[in-house]
Amino acid sequence: MNEQWKDTFHSEIEGLKETIGAFERGELDRKAYKGVSGGFGTYAQRDPAKHMLRLRMAGGRLTLERLKFLADTVEREQVGRLKLTTCQTIQLHDLSAGQVPVLIEEAMDNSIYSKGGGGDNPRNVMCSPLAGVQPGEAFDPTPWAEAATEYLLGICRDIHMPRKLKVAFSNGVDDSVHSAFRDMGFQAKEDGTFHVRIAGGLGAANPRMGISVEESAAPNEILYHIKAMIDTFCAHGNYQSRAKARTRYMQDTLGPDGLKEAYLAYLAAAKAAGGLDLDLVPTPIEKQGQGVLTHPRAIPQKQPGLYAVRYHPIGGCLPREKPAQLYHLLKDMPQTEIRVAPDETLYVIDLTADEAEKVLEVTSDGARTEFEHSVACIGASVCQQGIRDSQSALRAVVDAVREADLPDGALPRICISGCPSSCSAHQAGTIGFQGGVKLVDKVPMPAFQMLLDGSDAVGQARFGSPAATILERDLPALLVELGSAAAKAGQDWHTWSAAHTQERDAIIARYASLQ
Ligand code: SF4
């Protein structure tokens, strides 16, 4: 990251310290504070004495240097809670106001930037978590994701967008980063180019797939595309209504064809101005593979003899001791790193079979089944915007499904968001839940809207359909009954759900009618 940019950011942190002081003294309300603090990647939690700091890592790359920082910080600062997020960041929770600016500066000295982690900024640039190591990928988009990060961090203080901008790079075989429906998505293709889509996005109101603006963009020209997207957004986005300010609303105001036309005009202008060409090649993995390992959490890489180990702490809540445990292990394993995945999983990559066995041991406390890989946002007990506590809802259903002893696969991974902000991407989940309320005898009761059959698979991206509103207290029983029906038929969820829609829908309808 360039030194001038870092110096400017350091000087901005002085201003943040004053803003935090004003918030603590009650001179600023939550909204005004969030307006400033979000730009630094920090918010006050529901309890205003506690703060969250979002550490962004381009492409979810938790390198050894970053892992050491995390391990040392958690220990020294007694960080209360760590949360992996669907934007491939790691959130530190329950910080005091005084810790926030200190940690922002220290993080930057360890190549972790919180700048733009919130607010109307370019957010963490995402990348397929197994980019560079995944069998079948078109090519490794990591260098372009990192170049996009540098570019966006370099210009973020000079632009004024109506809302945030999320950019994602897919390696062509895994689109868990949602390049098909991000504000801007680049999907790697076998011919060495990117398919570019824009103005997609989730959110309870008006979720939209991205529109295709170029089928075969040259990788060396991606910064022109990003500039064109920002110029289009700044010119045609909605500055009057925050509710309609995300890029996807430009599909309504300009129409898909009009939006594409505007974008391509800005793209042509950016290319004519020049100065943003890239010349990048992926870094080859030189480590030699060794040994053979068969384990459900050990994924063979495309490099023979090397493995990625999958570790999913329940609900994406990383145990406080885990960064230190992983650092002490990985520091003696050359050329390994961790990737934070958008489904709140960690992948430790580039491991020989022996190394993978050791990592499996240290991470044996994570999810045991596909269902336990479910995704949940931090939820309303922490998040000031939240309606429902997604984490406690997830814990309740995991406990019930363990108690029922359902076979692995009888239930899919589910996605739970505590409010319409969709932080778990529940619209793309096989089963998704969105926190809300349900009136029972005119009394609002805690409930979740259930969505069915969403997907983020490459070439099959679709949003789930609303199925029912279920009282929160009935979620465990509903999921146990659905999973039991699939198990009784001897089928996995996907097979059973597709073949038994009437039975499935009847079970859901029964729970939806409970008062
Ligand atoms: S979905 Fe809602 S409750 Fe959950 S983290 Fe996002 S804003 Fe907060």
Side-chain angles (χ1 to χ4, degrees), residues 123-290:
R123 297 295 185 86
N124 191 39
V125 175
M126 299 178 68
C127 191
S128 298
L130 291 176
V133 307
Q134 189 164 17
E137 69 178 358
F139 64 92
D140 176 7
T142 306
W144 293 276
E146 293 193 326
T149 297
E150 292 256 342
Y151 174 67
L152 288 166
L153 283 174
I155 63 167
C156 68
R157 64 177 50 77
D158 303 321
I159 55 178
H160 173 47
M161 296 186 296
R163 287 292 306 269
K164 58 191 162 190
L165 183 84
K166 295 185 175 181
V167 179
F169 287 78
S170 159
N171 63 358
V173 72
D174 165 18
D175 198 22
S176 57
V177 293
H178 301 164
S179 73
F181 46 94
R182 286 278 167 204
D183 293 307
M184 178 159 222
F186 294 88
Q187 184 181 321
K189 293 174 52 181
E190 289 295 338
D191 64 2
T193 65
F194 285 111
H195 182 190
V196 185
R197 282 170 285 205
I198 65 165
L202 299 175
N206 200 26
R208 288 297 182 96
M209 290 290 156
I211 63 165
S212 174
V213 287
E214 185 160 343
E215 292 265 354
S216 302
N220 65 341
E221 294 185 342
I222 61 135
L223 296 187
Y224 295 112
H225 280 270
I226 293 173
K227 178 164 182 4
M229 185 64 211
I230 291 168
D231 289 344
T232 307
F233 194 22
C234 289
H236 299 285
N238 188 335
Y239 286 91
Q240 272 73 50
S241 165
R242 283 191 70 73
K244 294 187 173 176
R246 291 297 300 272
T247 61
R248 62 185 185 273
Y249 287 93
M250 293 191 295
Q251 292 198 36
D252 298 333
T253 51
L254 298 177
D257 292 342
L259 174 56
K260 181 173 178 178
E261 194 181 322
Y263 174 88
L264 292 177
Y266 279 112
L267 178 63
K271 286 184 183 176
L276 294 176
D277 290 287
L278 294 172
D279 183 13
L280 301 169
V281 284
T283 311
I285 290 169
E286 284 165 3
K287 186 167 178 174
Q288 294 298 310
Q290 219 174 24

Side-chain angles (χ1 to χ4, degrees), residues 407-455:
D408 189 10
L411 283 170
R413 191 183 66 176
I414 65 171
C415 300
I416 308 178
S417 298
C419 78
S421 283
S422 312
C423 296
S424 79
H426 60 273
Q427 291 94 339
T430 307
I431 299 178
F433 291 103
Q434 175 188 303
V437 294
K438 181 174 177 178
L439 290 180
V440 176
D441 293 334
K442 298 185 185 164
V443 179
M445 299 282 287
F448 283 86
Q449 186 188 38
M450 181 179 192
L451 291 86
L452 281 177
D453 287 336
S455 171

Side-chain angles (χ1 to χ4, degrees), residues 54 91 376-380 382-388 390 416-424 426:
R54 186 175 293 149
Q91 291 180 176
C377 71
I378 191 70
V382 174
C383 169
Q384 50 174 295
Q385 256 181 268
I387 301 172
R388 296 272 75 84
S390 338
I416 308 178
S417 298
C419 78
S421 283
S422 312
C423 296
S424 79
H426 60 273

